[in-house]
């Protein structure tokens, strides 16, 4: 029987890039936890990262900005139970795949798609990791609004197939990056096998946590199946 150390050494390592803690100013908590659960259930190891930057705080009772600032890395530690590293230390060579849970933080903190649409830019450390993963032919999974990060990073270069569900305005902005948007149900996925990119709408469309879970579980499984 293998030792615990040997088992961990043989596990696939899946980077999970968080953007804070909370649907309006960080990672959508249900999506992030469902992602971590799906990775664990698949026998892989999740390794969490987040950028060490400020974000605008949102009161999640009123859904209004408070005017205060929070630290994305510190907030992400709430979801990761303290086990999260600065994304500047993330290396594609040390990961088998990477997953981006949704939440508006993905579109505001990991990139500026939420503010500028197709004219947005990706946070430099996030951009580096996405490009490194793509160059290394390692799978990238994006959930909910997080495909916007991938679209901005790779749209002009690779024209990947992605989904955010079926919202015409958001889908149009994704297409304007050079990416190819594909309409998709909440509990389904889109797999770009050429570029090893998986996406699912989750709470862009889902009416319940169980509906979001079905899509996320499929997405994580498909991502792991693409690992070479």
């Amino acid at each position: 029987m293998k030792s615990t150390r040997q088992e961990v050494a043989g596990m696939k390592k899946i980077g999970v890039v968080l953007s804070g803690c909370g649907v309006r100013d960080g990672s959508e908590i249900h999506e992030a936890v469902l992602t971590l659960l799906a990775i664990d259930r698949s026998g892989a190891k999740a390794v969490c990262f987040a950028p060490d930057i400020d974000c605008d705080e949102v009161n999640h009772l009123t859904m209004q900005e408070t005017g205060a600032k929070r630290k994305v890395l510190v907030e992400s530690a709430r979801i990761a139970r303290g086990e999260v590293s600065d994304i500047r230390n993330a290396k594609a060579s040390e990961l088998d795949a990477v997953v981006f849970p949704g939440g508006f933080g993905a579109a505001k903190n990991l990139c500026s798609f939420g503010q500028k649409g197709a004219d947005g830019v990706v946070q430099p450390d996030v951009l580096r990791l996405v490009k490194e993963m793509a160059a290394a032919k390692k799978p990238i999974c994006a959930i909910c609004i997080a495909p916007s990060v991938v679209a901005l990073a790779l749209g002009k270069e690779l024209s990947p197939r992605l989904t955010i569900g079926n919202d015409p305005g958001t889908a149009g902005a994704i297409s304007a990056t050079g990416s190819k948007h594909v309409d998709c149900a909440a509990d389904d996925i889109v797999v770009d096998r050429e570029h090893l990119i998986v996406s699912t709408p989750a709470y862009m469309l889902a009416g319940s946590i169980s509906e979001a879970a079905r899509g996320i579980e499929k997405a994580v499984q498909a991502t792991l199946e693409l690992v070479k």
Side-chain angles (χ1 to χ4, degrees):
M1 188 173 180
K2 290 182 180 180
S3 68
T4 301
R5 180 173 294 180
Q6 287 174 323
E7 288 174 352
V8 171
M11 283 182 173
K12 293 175 181 175
K13 291 179 66 177
I14 312 301
V16 178
V17 181
L18 302 172
S19 59
C21 182
V23 62
R24 296 301 299 175
D25 59 6
S27 291
E28 208 292 322
I29 297 171
H30 294 176
E31 291 176 355
V33 172
L34 288 168
T35 297
L36 295 170
L37 178 60
I39 291 170
D40 185 65
R41 282 180 168 172
S42 296
K45 178 177 176 57
V47 184
C48 294
F49 299 98
D52 189 10
I53 58 176
D54 289 337
C55 67
D56 295 317
E57 180 188 69
V58 172
N59 179 329
H60 278 67
L61 279 176
T62 64
M63 295 299 177
Q64 301 296 316
E65 289 189 2
T66 67
K69 299 283 187 181
R70 292 199 179 197
K71 290 286 187 181
V72 172
L73 182 61
V74 173
E75 291 299 296
S76 297
R78 295 176 180 270
I79 295 174
R81 294 170 61 88
E83 296 186 5
V84 60
S85 301
D86 189 334
I87 196 168
R88 71 178 58 186
N89 299 319
K91 298 178 182 177
S93 61
E94 298 176 354
L95 300 171
D96 293 295
V98 66
V99 183
F100 291 83
F104 205 41
K108 290 176 63 180
N109 304 332
L110 302 186
C111 69
S112 56
F113 183 86
Q115 302 95 325
K116 298 181 179 180
D119 294 323
V121 296
V122 182
Q123 196 274 342
D125 297 310
V126 176
L127 179 64
R128 174 192 55 77
L129 180 61
V130 172
K131 285 186 171 292
E132 281 184 3
M133 294 297 289
K137 304 295 184 184
K138 293 186 175 183
I140 299 168
C141 177
I143 297 164
C144 190
I145 193 62
S148 62
V149 177
V150 181
L152 288 175
L154 303 176
K156 292 180 180 178
E157 180 182 353
L158 300 180
S159 296
R161 296 172 66 249
L162 298 165
T163 190
I164 49 78
N166 59 17
D167 176 71
T170 310
I174 292 289
S175 296
T177 68
S179 302
K180 299 171 183 174
H181 184 267
V182 181
D183 284 358
C184 181
D187 59 356
D188 208 351
I189 64 175
V190 169
V191 181
D192 182 335
R193 296 191 179 279
E194 179 183 358
H195 301 112
L196 306 182
I197 296 171
V198 180
S199 51
T200 187
Y203 275 116
M204 287 294 288
L205 289 179
S208 67
I209 189 172
S210 59
E211 190 177 15
R214 288 193 294 272
I216 290 170
E217 287 164 4
K218 287 179 184 178
V220 169
Q221 187 59 44
T223 301
L224 292 173
E225 289 172 358
L226 291 174
V227 174
K228 297 176 181 179

